Amino acid sequence: MRQTWRWFGPVDKVTLRDARQAGVEGIVTALHHVRTGEVWSKEEIAKRQAEVRGTGAAPTGLDWEVVESIPISESIKTQTGDWRTHVENWKQSLRHLHEAGLRTICYNFMPVLDWTRTDLAWEVANGAKAMRFDLPDFAAFDIHVLKRKGAAGSFPEAVVEEAARRYAGMSEARQKQIAQNVTAGLPGAMESWSLEELRAQLATYDGISEEQLRGHFVDFLSEVVPVAEELGMRLCCHPDDPPFPLLGLPRIMSTEAQYRAVLDAVDSPANGVTLCSGSLGARPDNDLPGMAERLGPKIHFVHLRNVRRDTEETPCSFFEDDHLAGHTDMVALVAALMKEEARRRAEGRADAEIPMRPDHGQDILNDAERGSQPGYPAIGRLKGLAELRGVMAALKATAA
């Protein structure tokens, strides 16, 4: 697999020099400063490419290889307001990216919130800091801080009781911290929500079922996938994170069956999957090595990370574990992906090498001193990449 590294632009505390020293082959980034719904201009794309490549006496030896992500507006997801204009702008952004030589576009279709965590620096047994989703803490936020109508009905009775107990002993500072963590938005994005703004956004989904949201997604794909196919580009949808409903919102990309429904509805080589082992791994019923085999031809991008679930129920609490720890058999998953690459080479596919990046990582050593994006430390990711690189080398040697 092609080893890439996520970079959040010039504001990222983890530099391109760090990425170069980590031994990666390419960069995953986006135009985080462009407002959702607007066109990515040729000039801004070229500027970001130049930033990645470096200039003059300081070339990085790296290039922008995967786009993560072109945001999809809430208007598109709910089919309200200027949604048709936003779809046209998304298509125009694809054309501009194609002109710049970019071919792989990761995105997601999660309503309102992107990835959701209650703790961004939860201490694990060895003293490292990890991101965590704690279900009772989230329920305490939903029921008692956000005060969403009917929130208690979204959780098992035991979780509701534990949430009430925790909220009773929760300081005002902790309440604010959880609210800030939950509403932080996608790493690198310009947008985050206040509680009032979050309530307003949730209201726009009143009456939208899972089936209706999937229908809106298929409508969107029916517009953008033909453009991508004509241009020889690959679109790959990131799964829900966590992969179960939150805040009363529907989730449509949490399981293999949900992926299959969307892939079958718009059947095209351009319509594909970002296989994120951490997001999907938060459900015990998601078989990651099996999904890699069965969805293999449509996997255009891979996020390799591992989570450890507190229970084998859905929903559940979990935290970001080491890349070779957690509940996903990472060796089996990487083996399945390398098998898919071999199959593609035998077919003569131009995209035989699948880009992957070590996703998330624990803050270890002096990572916390950098103040990097939550989940994206330099040393923690380097450790994960080294472990994954070792797995790939061992599997390659065994195959030989």
Side-chain angles (χ1 to χ4, degrees), residues 130-288:
M131 295 201 296
R132 175 172 171 80
F133 177 84
D134 187 284
L135 187 60
D137 273 0
F138 184 82
F141 164 77
D142 194 7
I143 299 167
H144 302 288
V145 178
L146 184 63
K147 295 181 171 63
R148 181 174 64 87
K149 184 178 179 181
S154 300
F155 303 95
E157 184 177 349
V159 172
V160 173
E161 292 174 357
E162 176 63 14
R165 187 190 67 79
R166 292 192 189 184
Y167 178 72
M170 193 177 288
S171 67
E172 184 176 345
R174 176 56 178 160
Q175 293 179 37
K176 290 181 178 179
Q177 181 184 50
I178 291 179
Q180 183 178 357
N181 292 347
V182 169
T183 60
L186 192 67
M190 303 295 289
E191 299 171 342
S192 62
W193 313 111
S194 69
L195 291 182
E196 284 303 317
E197 289 170 335
L198 178 56
R199 293 184 188 106
Q201 286 294 321
L202 294 176
T204 65
Y205 282 84
D206 285 349
I208 296 181
S209 65
E210 177 184 323
E211 292 72 22
Q212 287 171 307
L213 184 61
R214 183 179 299 107
H216 293 175
F217 187 23
V218 170
D219 289 344
F220 168 74
L221 291 175
S222 297
E223 290 284 334
V224 301
V225 167
V227 174
E229 183 173 351
E230 180 182 353
L231 296 172
M233 302 178 79
R234 297 172 290 277
L235 307 183
C236 38
C237 187
H238 188 282
D240 302 322
D241 186 6
F244 40 77
L246 299 176
L247 301 175
L249 295 166
R251 293 289 220 191
I252 58 171
M253 299 299 281
S254 295
T255 67
E256 182 176 352
Q258 289 177 327
Y259 262 102
R260 181 56 63 191
V262 169
L263 294 173
D264 289 347
V266 184
D267 188 8
S268 163
N271 184 24
V273 177
T274 296
L275 188 75
C276 178
S277 57
S279 298
L280 294 166
R283 287 185 69 111
D285 55 345
N286 279 335
D287 165 24
L288 269 299

Side-chain angles (χ1 to χ4, degrees), residues 78 92 100 123 361:
T78 59
Q92 190 60 37
E123 188 166 318

